[in-house]
């Protein structure tokens, strides 16, 4: 799989993730290796010298079609309103391999949608049991929340005793949502808020702790509706609950919307012109009377480098003091 | 950090001291847990049974404030048993003889007495760390927020250079920075004694460089630190403060005195995204925008400079901080012009801050994040420091001695209060409490050991008062052996329980960091909750 990736050959997969142990669960990546009796899973087959591999032979394509037919036989196919419509690996591959329907009509398991946690829904009627969330939760977060329950057709990926996540070791990092190839795990904040192609994704840096995780903000109509993983940073796509779910403050009704000046112990809204003129006048007055030593400034470990640079430049050059610090010690 | 975060996966032995990594820096916590899962070894030194203890080969449960004794004790065994890197010390370090004498005094037996850690465990930990080919030490505010904070850091550094664990991949010392851009704020010179890129204010050459660069006369004297500002304001020496994006009323020690200090000012301007507890005390409040509404860069704990990109337009009159500061400078008659915005400002930074000499927004867009030092536009950045020697020439051993914390428990205030963060909230909660994370954790839950709980007749979920010489707060309580007997743990996320009115403003004499990790308190039950007959069911829920 890696060798193919490096050589620009696209092998389809539903369960492979370079960060995780190879499970070979989905079999979508089967390829034909010359001399081998069976089709091999590309994710679990190391390349060797002189190996000849066919990645899209008739035999391979037919096998993949068969897998897809089996998968959609027990998958909630209400794609019309699905949150992942247009951004779904199962849909992508059915399209790629022209799988319109399944001959395997039979029992379909319908699970109620689990909406018990504050952050995301778990819709197991859409789960394809690729096991990515299971491996990721165990190997990266270490919480071991998910596993496979029951066997065969009844297999369900879920938490111990099928419990609500609040009752488990779940830390609500949301990484499982970001690896889910279908709509089995979906952020609540994005439900009915926009189709995938209408949502703009902006890569940026998380505003919480000093790890500096890279993430993508999902934006629709000038509002953040969710977060998804970005692999360009040293977090390699990993996130915690704060980065994944901690953004709503941006749209909080408590946000300050205009400058305020306190008059008779109450804040009054004023224009920028008035506020800045007032501040400049007071600063100038105190500077003239008392000099720079009467001033001190606290800059912000939440502000950007550019802003911190300007802040200390302002304190040192305009207010003539080195009394500038921030919360580095707190 | 001397090295980069993902090098944690390459190290053989990790020593975590004074860092609850999985809650305060979760994604770095994942790396530690991944390393352990891959067969690497872990030593955790922490008074609390933090999550990483489950992954640790050795847990050193030392008393709060006894880090130097513990670290010197490890050095003692490493020296005694000949596990140190003689070549590295001879070639690249100085001050060894004196350090050796100091370490000699810290026998495992004596250290056991000071720290409460079994001497045998100290021996084992020293061997594990000392024998490792590659070892790294991860620390955070549990090391620094003490009156001995600077010495604690030196003791950490001593151990690293003694074993030659610096300047190679997968080694080093890793102070984890708490805020997204605290590293950057330091790099940019938002410090009373440094210009950008750590050029000392007191160095006449640096001063005249910046006088030429900024075309103004600059003050010579280094300024005041946060805690000194509070003092100066209380004594009336400061008249005016300009606070941008900080909430010292909740975040700084001895909160009541902070309020008093700010009220004592002639003029207070606060620039923030919310009307914080601090902003409420201001005469003028200037509305700023969030990270999602502006461009710029943050520098993370591994010195990696990364883009922040505007995702949405601001729907109110709020403006980015850089724009407000620029306009204010212009109003005061300074000819600041940044029509090119943050990208242009970064251009100016690159001209005066050598560590950022090769940084530009254009480059960050093309190449992704870059680690400083990055002195020139063709420099690839620096993943780990000190590969070819230390900045000051030789690495210096500092002989540091254990000193007890500023305030120790006594009859009147018999318990130690130590503070920190939890996974689901952040700092003073201005951001995280306005998100759905609030549904997971919306109130303080002071941690207290079952033995102490019994002494004070406290049950799980009761409401108690916690009182120090400086103030008193009420809080709900969780009875848990995550804390050792004699210690209460609280966060400072919740304005309803402003823990920092309890903490002490005693600071480290060198860097003026406050001792937020140790002060003496007493507790008292106020409300039993839930009712008596049901509560037996609750006891021990949090016990492991």
């Amino acid at each position: 799989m890696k060798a193919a990736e490096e050589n620009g050959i696209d092998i389809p997969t539903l369960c492979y993730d370079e960060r995780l142990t190879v499970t070979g669960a989905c079999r979508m990546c089967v390829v034909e290796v010359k001399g081998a009796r069976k089709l091999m899973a590309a994710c679990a087959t190391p390349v060797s010298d002189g190996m000849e591999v066919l990645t899209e032979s008739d035999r391979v394509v037919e096998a993949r079609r068969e897998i897809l037919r089996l998968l959609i036989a027990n998958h909630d196919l209400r794609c019309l309103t699905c949150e992942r419509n247009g951004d779904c690996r199962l849909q992508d591959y059915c399209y790629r391999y022209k799988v319109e329907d399944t001959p395997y009509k039979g029992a379909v398991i319908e699970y109620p949608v689990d909406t018990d946690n504050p952050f995301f829904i778990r819709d197991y009627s859409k789960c394809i049991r690729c096991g990515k969330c299971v491996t990721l939760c165990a190997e990266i977060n270490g919480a071991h929340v998910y596993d496979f329950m029951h066997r065969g057709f009844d297999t369900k990926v879920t938490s111990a005793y099928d419990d609500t996540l609040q009752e488990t070791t779940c830390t609500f990092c949301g990484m499982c949502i970001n690896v889910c190839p279908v709509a089995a795990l979906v952020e609540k904040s994005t439900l009915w808020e926009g189709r995938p192609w209408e949502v703009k994704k902006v890569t940026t840096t998380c505003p919480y702790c000093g790890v500096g995780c890279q993430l993508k903000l999902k934006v629709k109509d000038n509002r953040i509706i969710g977060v998804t993983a970005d692999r360009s940073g040293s977090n390699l796509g990993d996130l915690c609950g704060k980065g994944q779910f901690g953004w709503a403050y941006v749209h909080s009704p408590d946000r300050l919307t205009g400058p305020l000046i306190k008059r008779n112990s109450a804040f009054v809204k004023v224009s920028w012109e008035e506020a800045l003129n007032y501040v400049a006048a007071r600063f100038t007055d105190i500077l003239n009377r008392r000099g720079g030593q009467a001033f001190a400034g606290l800059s912000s470990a939440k502000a950007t480098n550019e802003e911190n640079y300007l802040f200390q430049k302002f304190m040192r050059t305009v207010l003539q003091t080195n009394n500038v610090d921030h919360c580095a010690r707190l | 950090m001397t090295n980069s975060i993902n090098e944690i996966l390459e190290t053989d032995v990790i020593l975590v001291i004074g860092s609850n990594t999985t809650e305060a820096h979760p994604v770095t916590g994942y790396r530690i847990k991944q390393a352990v899962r891959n067969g690497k070894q872990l030593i955790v030194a922490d008074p609390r049974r933090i999550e990483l203890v489950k992954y640790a080969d050795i847990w050193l449960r030392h008393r709060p404030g006894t880090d130097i004794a513990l670290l010197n004790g490890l050095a003692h065994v490493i020296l005694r048993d000949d596990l140190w890197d003689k070549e590295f010390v001879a070639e690249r370090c100085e001050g060894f003889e004196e350090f050796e004498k100091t370490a000699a005094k810290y026998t495992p037996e004596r250290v056991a007495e000071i720290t409460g850690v079994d001497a045998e465990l100290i021996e084992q930990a020293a061997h594990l760390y000392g024998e490792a080919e590659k070892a790294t030490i991860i620390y955070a505010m549990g090391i620094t927020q003490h009156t001995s904070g600077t010495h604690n850091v030196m003791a950490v550094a001593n151990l690293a250079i003694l074993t030659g664990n610096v300047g190679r991949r997968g080694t080093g010392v890793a102070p984890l920075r708490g805020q997204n851009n605290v590293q950057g704020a330091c790099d940019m010179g938002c410090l009373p004694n440094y210009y950008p890129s750590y050029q000392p204010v007191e160095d006449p050459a640096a001063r005249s460089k910046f006088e030429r660069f900024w075309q103004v006369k600059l003050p010579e004297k280094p300024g005041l630190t946060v805690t000194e500002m509070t003092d100066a304001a209380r004594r009336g020496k400061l008249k005016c403060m300009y606070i941008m994006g900080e909430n010292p009323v909740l975040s700084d020690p001895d909160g009541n005195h902070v309020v008093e200090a700010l009220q004592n000012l002639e003029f207070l301007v606060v620039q923030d995204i919310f009307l914080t507890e601090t902003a409420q005390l201001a005469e003028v409040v200037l509305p700023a925008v969030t990270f999602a509404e502006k461009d710029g860069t943050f520098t993370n704990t591994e010195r990696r400079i990364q883009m922040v990109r505007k995702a949405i337009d601001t729907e109110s009159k709020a403006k980015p901080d850089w724009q407000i500061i620029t306009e204010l400078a212009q109003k005061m008659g300074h000819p600041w012009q940044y029509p090119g915005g943050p990208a242009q400002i970064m251009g100016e930074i690159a001209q005066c801050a050598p560590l950022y000499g090769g940084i530009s927004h254009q480059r960050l867009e093309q190449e992704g994040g870059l680690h400083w030092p990055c002195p020139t536009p063709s420099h690839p950045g620096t993943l780990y420091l000190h590969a070819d020697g230390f900045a000051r020439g030789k690495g210096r051993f500092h002989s540091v001695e254990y000193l007890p914390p500023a305030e120790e428990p006594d009859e009147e205030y018999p318990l130690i209060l130590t503070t920190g963060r939890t996974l689901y909230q952040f700092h003073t909660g201005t951001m995280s409490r306005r998100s759905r994370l609030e549904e997971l954790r919306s109130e303080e839950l002071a941690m207290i050991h079952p033995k102490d709980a019994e002494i004070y007749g406290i049950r799980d979920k009761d409401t108690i008062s916690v009182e120090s010489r400086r103030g008193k707060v009420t809080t709900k309580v969780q009875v848990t052996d995550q804390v050792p007997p004699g210690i209460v743990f609280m966060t400072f996320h919740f304005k309803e329980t402003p823990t920092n009115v309890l903490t002490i403003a005693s600071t480290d004499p060198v860097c003026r960091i406050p001792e937020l990790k140790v002060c003496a308190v007493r507790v008292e039950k106020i409300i039993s909750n839930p009712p008596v007959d049901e509560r037996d069911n609750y006891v021990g829920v949090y016990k492991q």
Side-chain angles (χ1 to χ4, degrees), chain B residues 284-343:
Chain B
V284 179
V285 179
L286 302 174
V289 303
T290 65
F291 82 114
E293 297 153 272
K294 63 189 177 189
D295 288 320
T297 56
F298 292 152
T299 304
N300 79 352
T301 187
E302 51 173 356
R303 301 166 282 102
R304 186 178 163 102
I305 304 151
Q306 309 185 109
M307 288 299 298
V308 177
R309 292 184 187 85
K310 184 174 170 175
I312 54 170
D313 294 319
T314 307
E315 285 174 336
S316 72
K317 288 186 193 151
K319 292 181 182 185
D321 292 303
W322 65 267
Q323 212 173 326
I324 303 172
I325 304 166
T326 304
E327 287 174 20
L328 203 49
Q330 288 167 346
K331 293 267 183 211
M332 292 188 68
H334 288 250
W336 288 21
Q337 292 295 339
Y338 295 107

Side-chain angles (χ1 to χ4, degrees), chain A residues 19-316:
Chain A
R19 295 172 294 173
L20 307 174
T21 301
V22 170
T23 57
C26 76
R27 315 312 287 178
M28 269 308 287
C29 69
V30 286
V31 291
E32 196 173 336
V33 178
K34 281 269 175 74
R37 195 166 50 85
K38 289 188 195 164
L39 295 178
M40 312 285 271
C43 63
T45 310
V47 277
S48 58
D49 243 3
M51 188 187 250
E52 271 183 62
V53 183
L54 298 171
T55 63
E56 297 284 336
S57 69
D58 289 350
R59 207 177 142 207
V60 165
V61 168
E62 191 41 48
R64 288 182 189 154
R65 280 201 186 119
E66 195 61 13
I67 293 163
L68 289 166
R69 287 180 197 123
L70 286 165
L71 280 175
I72 62 172
N74 188 21
H75 182 84
D76 178 353
L77 287 173
R78 288 177 297 173
C79 298
L80 285 176
T81 51
C82 180
E83 287 296 334
R84 293 292 294 268
N85 183 20
D87 177 29
C88 168
R89 296 298 83 73
L90 185 61
Q91 199 182 50
D92 291 347
Y93 296 143
C94 283
Y95 188 88
R96 176 166 163 179
Y97 294 112
K98 305 187 183 74
V99 174
E100 293 177 280
D101 207 346
T102 179
Y104 305 111
K105 308 280 187 201
V108 173
I109 305 186
E110 279 183 39
Y111 299 99
V113 178
D114 179 345
T115 60
D116 276 348
N117 79 72
F119 305 109
F120 57 99
I121 60 158
R122 299 156 73 199
D123 183 355
Y124 290 118
S125 303
K126 289 188 176 153
C127 175
I128 55 167
R129 296 149 192 89
C130 69
K132 257 183 175 174
C133 56
V134 177
T135 323
L136 177 127
C137 187
E139 292 183 357
I140 294 183
N141 185 304
H144 294 269
V145 169
Y146 297 115
D147 210 332
F148 296 97
M149 189 171 80
H150 304 311
R151 298 259 166 155
F153 185 70
D154 294 324
T155 306
K156 181 184 180 187
V157 174
T158 186
S159 46
Y161 308 111
D162 216 0
D163 234 338
T164 58
L165 295 184
Q166 287 94 318
E167 303 294 324
T168 70
T169 50
C170 179
T171 63
F172 297 97
C173 66
M175 289 193 287
C176 53
I177 307 169
N178 295 333
V179 293
C180 184
V182 293
L185 302 170
V186 180
E187 283 167 290
K188 282 185 174 174
S189 59
T190 62
L191 294 175
W192 307 104
E193 287 293 329
R195 326 300 301 279
W197 56 87
E198 297 166 339
V199 174
K200 184 173 77 173
K201 290 180 184 167
V202 182
T203 301
T204 190
T205 306
C206 177
Y208 281 98
C209 80
V211 179
C213 295
Q214 297 295 290
L215 50 80
K216 285 191 173 85
L217 294 174
K218 295 192 216 169
V219 178
K220 166 91 191 305
D221 296 338
N222 205 41
R223 290 188 77 78
I224 301 170
I225 59 166
V227 160
T228 189
D230 181 273
R231 300 214 179 167
S232 65
S234 55
N235 60 310
L236 310 173
D238 305 345
L239 290 174
C240 79
K242 283 175 280 226
Q244 180 73 43
F245 302 115
W247 45 266
Y249 73 92
V250 170
H251 298 298
S252 164
D254 301 342
R255 282 280 303 275
L256 289 165
T257 55
L260 305 170
I261 293 183
K262 202 179 263 169
R263 288 181 185 138
N264 302 324
S265 345
F267 283 117
V268 183
K269 272 200 175 184
V270 296
S271 70
W272 271 108
E273 187 64 16
E274 188 179 349
L276 291 178
N277 282 338
Y278 182 71
V279 173
R282 291 292 302 271
F283 277 179
T284 308
D285 171 53
I286 295 170
L287 191 60
N288 290 339
R289 282 190 290 122
R290 301 273 182 177
Q293 285 316 303
F295 289 91
L298 288 182
S299 190
S300 177
K302 283 268 162 274
T304 63
N305 286 322
E306 292 76 2
E307 290 162 341
N308 275 290
Y309 171 78
L310 288 190
F311 190 86
Q312 59 88 34
K313 182 177 169 183
F314 182 86
M315 293 309 295
R316 291 190 158 114

